[in-house]
Amino acid sequence: QKEVEQNSGPLSVPEGAIASLNCTYSDRVSQSFFWYRQYSGKSPELIMSIYSNGDKEDGRFTAQLNKASQYVSLLIRDSQPSDSATYLCAVNMVPPGGKLIFGQGTELSVKP
Amino acid sequence: GAVVSQHPSRVICKSGTSVKIECRSLDFQATTMFWYRQFPKKSLMLMATSNEGSKATYEQGVEKDKFLINHASLTLSTLTVTSAHPEDSSFYICSAQWGQNYGYTFGSGTRLTVV
């Protein structure tokens, strides 16, 4: 089993819709979870971090974490064409500050 | 915010030569940096963890004699691809964490092409 798994997509949503991205991880003791956005040919940029169970909202983005299910998700409300990118889920392996392991990424396409 | 500067952004080299990639933390001290490589349409694969003042820790399957990592100061880590071959062509990215509960910030990446 891969340490961090995502649906590779592509995920296509119309402009203005909600995009839902999902991620599962295998290490039960992982403590820090991140969502990055990566445009083609560029390095990843941090969108959200989440450390405790529940929801965390930042603008149009909401991260959800369920440690019991080892599941983390990202919702993008009012999707815009500029949101079209690959979204990478990343998990910080214990101890904190240790290596960050990435899922394979989900390609999101927002159609005007 | 924390900035990691990576150079060069692009390099083309001949097969058999060595290439050095630099990664600098500009406004914070990074005792640990991470080196990743990424193939087209693939995710980031962790190559090694670079520790200031000590030897790097390599992931399984990564040749430490081929990918030399030096972390001589709290703000600089370098990755040298030795005796490069076309299969080493990839996108190399460095990263560092700038606080206990902050995300990891990434360099802009280096596109290496070996001809």
Side-chain angles (χ1 to χ4, degrees):
Chain A
Q1 181 187 3
K2 293 181 182 177
E3 292 176 292
V4 181
E5 291 202 61
Q6 297 177 250
N7 292 329
S8 58
L11 173 66
S12 183
V13 300
E15 184 174 356
I18 296 176
S20 178
L21 304 162
N22 304 313
C23 174
T24 58
Y25 59 96
S26 61
D27 188 345
R28 186 169 289 278
V29 299
S30 297
Q31 297 181 7
S32 308
F33 307 87
F34 307 91
W35 282 99
Y36 285 84
R37 177 174 62 197
Q38 186 177 29
Y39 292 110
S40 181
K42 303 294 184 183
S43 67
E45 55 179 322
L46 180 66
I47 296 176
M48 294 281 287
S49 59
I50 187 166
Y51 307 98
S52 54
N53 281 328
D55 295 359
K56 179 181 178 183
E57 187 175 318
D58 184 1
R60 295 187 296 111
F61 300 97
T62 299
Q64 300 173 316
L65 175 62
N66 184 324
K67 290 187 177 181
S69 300
Q70 295 175 240
Y71 174 88
V72 59
S73 67
L74 179 70
L75 299 178
I76 306 174
R77 290 182 299 282
D78 188 24
S79 296
Q80 301 297 308
S82 58
D83 294 327
S84 299
T86 296
Y87 289 80
L88 298 161
C89 172
V91 176
N92 182 195
M93 312 306 283
V94 178
K99 56 188 181 182
L100 198 62
I101 302 299
F102 285 84
Q104 65 269 43
T106 298
E107 184 180 349
L108 172 66
S109 176
V110 181
K111 303 295 185 184
Chain B
V3 176
V4 172
S5 175
Q6 184 173 346
H7 294 280
S9 58
R10 238 174 234 282
V11 59
I12 300 174
C13 71
K14 290 185 177 180
S15 189
T17 61
S18 295
V19 173
K20 180 184 283 189
I21 301 169
E22 290 190 351
C23 184
R24 294 182 185 272
S25 56
L26 297 187
D27 48 6
F28 69 103
Q29 293 182 332
T31 54
T32 303
M33 288 189 179
F34 304 91
W35 287 94
Y36 294 84
R37 68 186 296 182
Q38 186 177 36
F39 292 107
K41 298 206 177 286
K42 298 293 184 182
S43 189
L44 280 75
M45 184 194 79
L46 180 65
M47 299 174 65
T49 301
S50 166
N51 302 297
E52 186 268 336
S54 65
K55 291 183 179 180
T57 302
Y58 290 82
E59 295 298 303
Q60 189 174 9
V62 177
E63 299 175 61
K64 62 180 181 180
D65 294 330
K66 180 167 189 60
F67 299 101
L68 300 180
I69 291 173
N70 184 279
H71 195 150
S73 76
L74 288 171
T75 58
L76 174 64
S77 177
T78 61
L79 168 67
T80 301
V81 182
T82 63
S83 186
H85 291 284
E87 57 266 30
D88 298 324
S89 298
S90 188
F91 191 47
Y92 292 87
I93 315 174
C94 65
S95 172
Q97 189 181 30
W98 54 287
Q100 182 71 16
N101 290 320
Y102 296 107
Y104 293 64
T105 188
F106 285 81
S108 55
T110 297
R111 176 78 56 194
L112 170 65
T113 303
V114 184
V115 297

